[in-house]
Amino acid sequence: VQLQASGGGLVQPGGSLRLSCTASGFNLDYYAIGWFRQAPGKEREGVSCISGSDDTTYYPTEVAGRFTISRDNAKNTVYLQMNSLKPEDTAVYYCASASGCEAAMKDFASWGQGTQVTVSS
């Protein structure tokens, strides 16, 4: 079972994108879903997580106030709304699942292929 991230693209600095994370074969409702990104030459890092228990959301400092994670259970989809994008947000974005947002990155599962986000003028 894999999650599929989509919605990436090329956007100018200051622009917005909405990424989607969908799954087939299992219900996302009961899982914490995290969004991660990896830029060339850099380690993968977490950018957001939404818990499966009560939809509590988490953001690191560098994206707080610009990124918003949400879920639509009817569509079995988790979204990442990204506003005020910066060139340093350029990366491949992935979604993955875990039992809780406190899980270490290595304990997240069902990684898909990711979607490329490029922020450039």
Side-chain angles (χ1 to χ4, degrees), residues 8-100:
L10 173 63
V11 63
Q12 292 186 343
S16 298
L17 281 174
R18 189 178 75 162
L19 306 184
S20 298
C21 176
T22 57
S24 59
F26 76 99
N27 194 328
L28 293 181
D29 296 8
Y30 308 113
Y31 293 89
I33 303 298
W35 281 99
F36 303 83
R37 67 185 181 188
Q38 188 165 20
K42 295 187 177 181
E43 293 188 353
R44 190 170 295 186
E45 61 178 355
V47 295
S48 186
C49 188
I50 186 167
S51 71
S53 56
D54 59 6
D55 287 351
T56 300
T57 58
Y58 302 87
Y59 308 93
T61 303
E62 55 266 34
V63 306
R66 299 191 298 123
F67 290 11
T68 303
I69 190 171
S70 62
R71 67 166 83 229
D72 184 336
N73 291 335
K75 296 183 178 180
N76 204 31
T77 300
V78 172
Y79 301 103
L80 184 67
Q81 178 68 43
M82 305 186 297
N83 299 328
S84 302
L85 283 163
K86 305 175 182 180
E88 51 263 44
D89 294 318
T90 295
V92 178
Y93 284 70
Y94 303 86
C95 57
S97 63
S99 57

